[in-house]
Every structure is written in structure tokens, then in C-alpha cells.
Amino acid sequence: MLHILALFSFLLISSSHAALQDFCVADFTAPQGPTGYSCRTPAEVTADDFVYSGLRQPGNTSSIFNASINSASVHKFPVLNGLGVSVARADVAPGGVLPLHTHPGATEIILVARGAVTAGLISSDNTVYVKTVEEGDIMVFPQGLLHFLVNTGGTEALIWVSFSSPSPGLQVLNTALFGNNLDSDLLEKITLLGDDEVQRLKGIFGGTG
């Protein structure tokens, strides 16, 4: 119970940046502006808009990283528009990983609801902070910093994630390097990898060029 309270305490603090109006359920039929989406009229809003059930079920961990992320950002949960928060569920099989990635638009807090994981972050001066995070523990990843997570326990881990933005953004390092059409010769130069390894990784992550 205490770890659930900790998660919602973070969400309540983060929501202090919400607009002065009570809420602003996103109107996706209107263009998105710098501060978010336009609001539906109050007459269009119902109690259902304040509930999202998409995180009830475990995700499929049979991916290349043996992990699954299911998010409830503003694009799936429109009532988050302007409230400064979003959440996600991570299911990670034993030995599975959430590889090095960053969220350009948000600070992240993880809460380990089941299992144990080794998680870490890399600061802007390349200092590495790594810690084993057990059931009931939380860990914070400051906005924009590279971070990762490995399930080092013997059971599937369930992680609840909260963000300080309704749209935190995501950039996975592996995909950024090898999941696009960046020329292989350039990739070999900037990564110091040989052609065979670059081509192998492009094959895994769907890159071309």
C-alpha cells in the first residue's frame, strides 16, 4: 500500500503545473499547440473520460528485449491533457531489459510492484548510477538522462511508471542508431563498429542504408 501512495503522491505534486481550469480533455479534431491540445467542451465530457483501463493486463514479453511497455499518455488517455502527468506499465521477464533510452519531455519515477530489477542512469558528465531496486522501492530518472533497467530477479517483474508530462517522449539508443536510414559508412565511423556488426544490428532494429 505504501508504494501505491508514493506513486500517487508524485502524480499529485507533478500536477501542480496544470492549467487554471479544472481539466482539459483533449480534442484531437483540433490542431495540437505548443502547450497541448484544445479542450472538449464540458458538455462533451463524461465520467468515462477520467478512467483508463488499458493497463490492467500484463504485456507480451516475447519481444527482442523480453519486456513490454504499455503507456497511458495523453494520446490514449485524453484527460491528461494539460495536467502534467502520465503513467505506464512495464512487464519484464527474467533476464529482460528496458534498454538505454531517454524521455526528452519528462522526469520518470519507477515503482517496483513485483520482483527485483537492476536499474541505472547516466548523468550528463557520464557518471553512472546503478542500484538494485526491489519490490516496494522507487527510483527516479531525471528528465532527458539516459537510463536502463534489467530484470535480475528470478520472476517476472511488474513496474509502474509515472512521468511529469502527459507526453514524455521516448528515444531508444539502439533504435536511434540502427533503426533508421543513416548511411552504414557513417555509422561505422561514429560507433567504431565494423561493417558486419553494423549490418547485423540494422537487421535486428529495421535500419536501412
Side-chain angles (χ1 to χ4, degrees):
M1 178 61 70
L2 288 177
H3 56 276
I4 299 296
L5 291 175
L7 173 66
F8 282 98
S9 295
F10 171 72
L11 293 175
L12 289 172
I13 292 169
S14 300
S15 66
S16 62
H17 300 291
L20 293 178
Q21 63 198 83
D22 291 339
F23 51 83
C24 176
V25 179
D27 180 1
F28 295 133
T29 65
Q32 182 180 12
T35 58
Y37 293 94
S38 298
C39 309
R40 295 186 208 163
T41 64
E44 297 176 294
V45 177
T46 72
D48 289 340
D49 289 306
F50 296 90
V51 178
Y52 181 72
S53 302
L55 305 185
R56 289 181 180 179
Q57 301 301 320
N60 183 359
T61 59
S62 62
S63 66
I64 185 173
F65 292 115
N66 295 316
S68 171
I69 290 283
N70 191 1
S71 64
S73 62
V74 67
H75 307 99
K76 295 180 180 178
F77 196 15
V79 74
L80 298 181
N81 186 44
L83 295 182
V85 295
S86 57
V87 296
R89 172 184 178 141
D91 296 282
V92 189
V97 302
L98 301 182
L100 271 175
H101 65 281
T102 180
H103 303 284
T107 290
E108 173 184 350
I109 283 184
I110 64 168
L111 187 158
V112 180
R114 184 174 63 244
V117 300
T118 298
L121 61 119
I122 304 173
S123 69
S124 58
D125 65 0
N126 293 322
T127 301
V128 180
Y129 302 89
V130 178
K131 183 73 175 177
T132 296
V133 191
E134 299 181 345
E135 187 171 323
D137 291 344
I138 64 174
M139 186 170 182
V140 63
F141 305 118
Q143 181 173 341
L145 295 187
L146 285 165
H147 55 283
F148 64 91
L149 181 152
V150 181
N151 184 348
T152 49
T155 61
E156 185 162 301
L158 169 61
I159 314 293
W160 292 108
V161 185
S162 56
F163 297 104
S164 61
S165 167
S167 185
L170 171 67
Q171 186 170 41
V172 179
L173 185 60
N174 293 322
T175 307
L177 286 171
F178 304 107
N180 54 43
N181 63 351
L182 183 60
D183 185 79
S184 294
D185 289 338
L186 289 174
L187 259 180
E188 292 163 24
K189 289 180 171 62
I190 64 176
T191 62
L192 303 181
L193 295 174
D195 182 66
D196 288 346
E197 184 64 6
V198 166
Q199 296 304 323
R200 185 184 76 84
L201 291 169
K202 282 195 170 190
I204 292 173
F205 296 105
T208 59

